[in-house]
Amino acid sequence: MHKQPLLILAVCFILGILFQDKIALGESLIDGVAVTCLILLVLICFHSYLLHKIKTVFLMFLLFGGGIVLHFYNTSSPVGKLLMKKHETVSFKISQKLNSSEKYRKYEGIARKGSTTFNAIFYVPKNKEVLDFIHYYKADAYITQPKAPPYDFQFNYAQYLNRKHIRYQIYISEGMVSAQRNDLTWADWLKQYRLDVLNRIDETGISGKTKEFLKGIILADRTEIDTGTVRDFNRSGLVHFLAISGTHIVVIFGMFYFFLIRFAPLQFRKYAVIFSLVFIWLFAAFIGFGNSVLRSCIMLSVYFIFVLLQRKPDLLHSLALSAFFILFGDTQQLFDVGFQLSFLAVLGIYWLNQPLLKYFPKQNNYIKKLLFNTITISLSAQLATLPLVLYYFHQFSLISIIANFVIVPFSEIIIIFSFLITVLISFGIDFELINGMYDGIIEFLLKVIHWFAEVDVLFFENIPMNEIEVMSVSLFVYLLRAAILKFNVKNTMRLIMTALLFLMIRSGMTAFENKKEEVLVYHFNRNKIFSVKNGARVCFWISDMKNKTKILQYLVNPYCASRRVDHFEIKALSPTIQKVVFRNKVYDLK
């Protein structure tokens, strides 16, 4: 507690949020917890010898209770049940542009139906006009509520939207009209200007894939990126390069700081750090305060505040403050996968980077420092996030380690070049030569990433992983630091025992699942699917093979990972079939 008080208090606050999310205390109990927190706060303010000894414990319980209370009030209360009709007239405004699908452009926004106002996801057909942030819209629509999936291995989209305080989906049909808004805030103007810049990028002569890459790497917009490119980044382990993260913020901060100290008048140079921090916060507001962006800005700001105050910077203090700021605003952010992976990556870098660097030659020049740090930082972050990556995505590629070693050293140049191109485009300056150079570089980069993604021999999918296995693998990563720092019998045995514990848990879980026989019926869009699991094998009968790729992605693969299935078959299901035979057993489809 004396060395890392903020981190421990942040952990207590997070445990309080998790407790409330799992137990869901009622309002009367929450009132009791709130009163207890007030009593603890009063006791902490008193000065006495006895209280001084237990003040730390009181503070930990205060943050734990604070997490419970705050999560209770941050949990969205349901909107009054709306009367669902086939056609409704809805007024709405959009607040965020989301990833498009094959048929629809998707937006997040606020809708009004009668006297009721509520958050919703809007699905607008692609043949309709593109929506913006400076208009109100009115249209005929179909309102629906997302339903929880029938089986535990399926992605719970209803819960995901609920954590974003969204309970309704609205499909726009006909008769959409718009009207200029007269209540625009500075945030709306920023969103609209960002949208204008995105549209200007579309008007340039660079290729389509390069445009989408540029939008993603600088303006945090991946809404129109094609599925093939997303697949390449995911399979090569380079998706962090496309998303705005700490690397991007640090590079942009450094670029702005460099220009200030080189070209600003002498009297302003001492304020270069402050001006650079102000700039990255403005940039973060412009692209939207995503988790990784907000976390990076807070950590960088705290770090340089320590520097300006002539105090020794502490990475864990910065990380804990970032968590507090984000979770105080919305405790539901804790359950966002990006939030979890972002913070775990920083913890991994803190825990493993320096020990790994000791195995590399002395960094006596810039090139060695850049190369060796790139390797160790990438490896540290990947090791720390590996348990959660396997838990959420059930896939991993060993080629990602090599891909990061090859691509990440050039990330600083690519980010700077992309930022400058975006600035020129935003001011309406279009240099065909510069655009052509950028287009060629990014096309070559995307081809290299595609090559890495196609190395199937090092790609593994449908990897089963549950919470207990995540904890055991995380324990292995935690103990790895001691073994790297001092490779002796004691530290090696700890790692071996942890690995054996993981294998025992995994073997037990797999044996338990393989004893089960399971028969399930699904409805995927308009497709009827029937599956039979017997031991470590499963067979899927599908009535319409047109959507086979999506069925594999959203149904078959998650099922195999959840049920620890080694082999699956897919067969066509005729509408006239009444019974099926699988492994010498007959199953009735009626």
Side-chain angles (χ1 to χ4, degrees):
M1 185 70 181
H2 294 293
K3 291 184 178 181
Q4 295 296 339
L6 284 177
L7 181 64
I8 294 174
L9 293 178
V11 170
C12 292
F13 184 70
I14 288 171
L15 290 175
I17 296 173
L18 292 173
F19 180 85
Q20 172 60 21
D21 194 73
K22 297 297 182 184
I23 306 299
L25 300 180
E27 189 170 356
S28 57
L29 290 175
I30 290 295
D31 292 339
V33 174
V35 171
T36 305
C37 290
L38 288 175
I39 294 172
L40 289 173
L41 184 60
V42 172
L43 291 174
I44 289 169
C45 293
F46 277 104
H47 295 281
S48 71
Y49 178 77
L50 177 61
L51 289 176
H52 179 72
K53 290 293 183 181
I54 58 175
K55 190 176 289 186
T56 299
V57 178
F58 282 173
L59 196 57
M60 293 171 67
F61 276 106
L62 174 64
L63 268 295
F64 180 79
I68 294 174
V69 174
L70 195 58
H71 188 56
F72 174 80
Y73 288 107
N74 263 340
T75 302
S76 62
S77 57
V79 178
K81 185 72 175 179
L82 297 176
L83 181 62
M84 303 297 182
K85 298 180 181 178
K86 191 168 184 180
H87 292 287
E88 299 278 359
T89 300
V90 178
S91 301
F92 64 95
K93 63 179 180 180
I94 66 168
S95 57
Q96 188 177 352
K97 184 183 176 187
L98 303 177
N99 292 343
S100 298
S101 63
E102 293 179 3
K103 295 175 60 179
Y104 298 101
R105 294 189 184 93
K106 292 166 51 177
Y107 302 90
E108 183 180 323
I110 301 172
R112 177 180 291 274
K113 179 179 176 290
S115 59
T116 306
T117 301
F118 54 95
N119 295 327
I121 300 293
F122 298 89
Y123 296 79
V124 181
K126 287 191 171 181
N127 60 354
K128 301 290 184 183
E129 63 179 292
V130 178
L131 308 188
D132 58 38
F133 300 95
I134 59 175
H135 286 88
Y136 282 112
Y137 297 93
K138 189 175 183 179
D140 293 335
Y142 175 70
I143 305 175
T144 184
Q145 280 188 291
K147 297 179 180 179
Y151 305 116
D152 58 352
F153 63 88
Q154 294 176 286
F155 176 64
N156 194 338
Y157 189 58
Q159 184 185 59
Y160 168 77
L161 291 181
N162 187 40
R163 292 201 183 282
K164 298 180 69 176
H165 313 288
I166 298 170
R167 292 182 180 271
Y168 291 93
Q169 296 170 286
I170 299 179
Y171 291 83
I172 302 299
S173 55
E174 298 296 335
M176 187 164 66
V177 295
S178 61
Q180 188 80 25
R181 289 178 57 185
N182 56 6
D183 59 347
L184 292 172
T185 64
W186 66 269
D188 294 322
W189 284 115
L190 273 179
K191 291 176 182 177
Q192 183 58 38
Y193 184 68
R194 174 174 172 266
L195 183 62
D196 292 339
V197 174
L198 292 171
N199 292 334
R200 289 173 190 169
I201 292 175
D202 286 331
E203 294 170 0
T204 61
I206 57 181
S207 64
K209 287 190 175 182
T210 303
K211 290 176 185 177
E212 300 310 324
F213 177 86
L214 178 59
K215 293 177 186 178
I217 197 172
I218 296 299
L219 297 176
D221 181 272
R222 293 189 288 168
T223 57
E224 302 296 336
I225 194 167
D226 66 279
T227 55
T229 303
V230 173
R231 172 187 171 276
D232 289 344
F233 275 92
N234 284 330
R235 288 175 65 96
S236 61
L238 289 166
V239 70
H240 64 88
F241 180 53
L242 185 61
I244 298 288
S245 62
T247 304
H248 300 71
I249 297 300
V250 169
V251 169
I252 293 171
F253 172 89
M255 179 178 60
F256 194 74
Y257 179 78
F258 173 82
F259 282 115
L260 281 178
I261 62 174
R262 291 292 186 276
F263 305 109
L266 187 61
Q267 63 268 28
F268 291 110
R269 290 184 183 177
K270 60 182 178 180
Y271 301 111
V273 170
I274 298 174
F275 288 149
S276 300
L277 289 176
V278 171
F279 177 78
I280 63 163
W281 278 104
L282 291 174
F283 176 73
F286 178 65
I287 63 174
F289 288 110
N291 277 331
S292 58
V293 175
L294 191 57
R295 186 260 308 161
S296 304
C297 289
I298 293 172
M299 289 187 63
L300 200 63
S301 300
V302 171
Y303 177 88
F304 279 105
I305 287 171
F306 274 96
V307 171
L308 293 172
L309 295 176
Q310 297 183 346
R311 299 276 302 273
K312 184 181 178 181
D314 191 294
L315 180 63
L316 294 184
H317 283 0
S318 304
L319 189 67
L321 284 173
S322 303
F324 274 128
F325 279 118
I326 295 173
L327 296 177
F328 278 155
D330 184 7
T331 54
Q332 297 284 6
Q333 292 293 331
L334 177 64
F335 305 96
D336 183 80
V337 178
F339 176 94
Q340 297 173 18
L341 293 177
S342 176
F343 277 81
L344 268 181
V346 177
L347 282 173
I349 292 168
Y350 168 83
W351 194 245
L352 295 175
N353 184 50
Q354 290 302 320
L356 288 172
L357 273 176
K358 292 185 178 182
Y359 287 84
F360 287 83
K362 188 176 180 180
Q363 304 166 56
N364 50 15
N365 60 57
Y366 176 78
I367 299 298
K368 287 184 178 179
K369 186 176 181 179
L370 175 64
L371 180 61
F372 298 158
N373 272 276
T374 298
I375 294 172
T376 56
I377 287 174
S378 298
L379 188 58
S380 301
Q382 287 189 62
L383 285 171
T385 56
L386 179 61
L388 275 190
V389 168
L390 296 179
Y391 176 71
Y392 284 118
F393 306 110
H394 303 291
Q395 63 181 33
F396 179 71
S397 176
L398 288 174
I399 200 67
S400 65
I401 299 173
I402 302 171
N404 276 276
F405 293 165
V406 173
I407 301 297
V408 172
F410 302 100
S411 61
E412 184 173 338
I413 298 171
I414 293 170
I415 291 170
I416 292 173
F417 199 180
S418 300
F419 183 83
L420 294 176
I421 287 284
T422 305
V423 170
L424 291 174
I425 293 173
S426 66
F427 285 106
I429 303 172
D430 189 2
F431 290 114
E432 291 187 8
L433 179 60
I434 297 177
N435 290 349
M437 290 175 56
Y438 181 77
D439 198 8
I441 292 171
I442 300 306
E443 283 192 345
F444 176 75
L445 173 70
L446 294 177
K447 287 179 181 178
V448 173
I449 293 172
H450 178 72
W451 182 85
F452 282 121
E454 290 298 303
V455 184
D456 291 330
V457 69
L458 297 177
F459 181 75
F460 306 93
E461 59 182 349
N462 299 339
I463 303 172
M465 183 71 68
N466 60 24
E467 291 89 344
I468 301 174
E469 290 169 317
V470 168
M471 293 174 64
S472 61
V473 176
S474 299
L475 178 61
F476 182 89
V477 175
Y478 174 80
L479 295 174
L480 191 61
R481 174 186 171 92
I484 295 172
L485 287 172
K486 189 175 182 181
F487 190 75
N488 55 24
V489 175
K490 180 181 177 181
N491 292 330
T492 305
M493 287 304 298
R494 284 179 177 176
L495 279 181
I496 293 174
M497 293 299 292
T498 306
L500 289 175
L501 175 65
F502 167 74
L503 292 175
M504 289 172 60
I505 294 171
R506 193 172 188 81
S507 299
M509 295 288 182
T510 302
F512 177 76
E513 285 292 340
N514 287 345
K515 288 182 179 179
K516 292 182 180 179
E517 181 177 308
E518 188 173 50
V519 179
L520 299 178
V521 178
Y522 321 84
H523 293 279
F524 187 86
N525 295 332
R526 297 180 180 179
N527 206 335
K528 185 177 180 181
I529 303 168
F530 178 77
S531 73
V532 177
K533 174 185 174 296
N534 193 323
R537 301 172 69 90
V538 63
C539 185
F540 291 86
W541 282 270
I542 303 174
S543 61
D544 186 359
M545 288 290 185
K546 291 180 181 178
N547 291 325
K548 182 179 178 181
T549 302
K550 287 187 176 181
I551 292 171
L552 276 169
Q553 180 180 355
Y554 296 112
L555 197 67
V556 176
N557 288 340
Y559 181 88
C560 293
S562 174
R563 301 301 191 259
R564 300 171 186 265
V565 172
D566 293 331
H567 180 75
F568 68 86
E569 300 175 56
I570 295 179
K571 298 180 179 180
L573 177 65
S574 173
T576 60
I577 292 179
Q578 301 294 320
K579 297 180 180 180
V580 296
V581 179
F582 180 63
R583 304 194 77 178
N584 299 322
K585 288 189 177 183
V586 179
Y587 298 91
D588 196 342
L589 299 184
K590 293 182 181 178

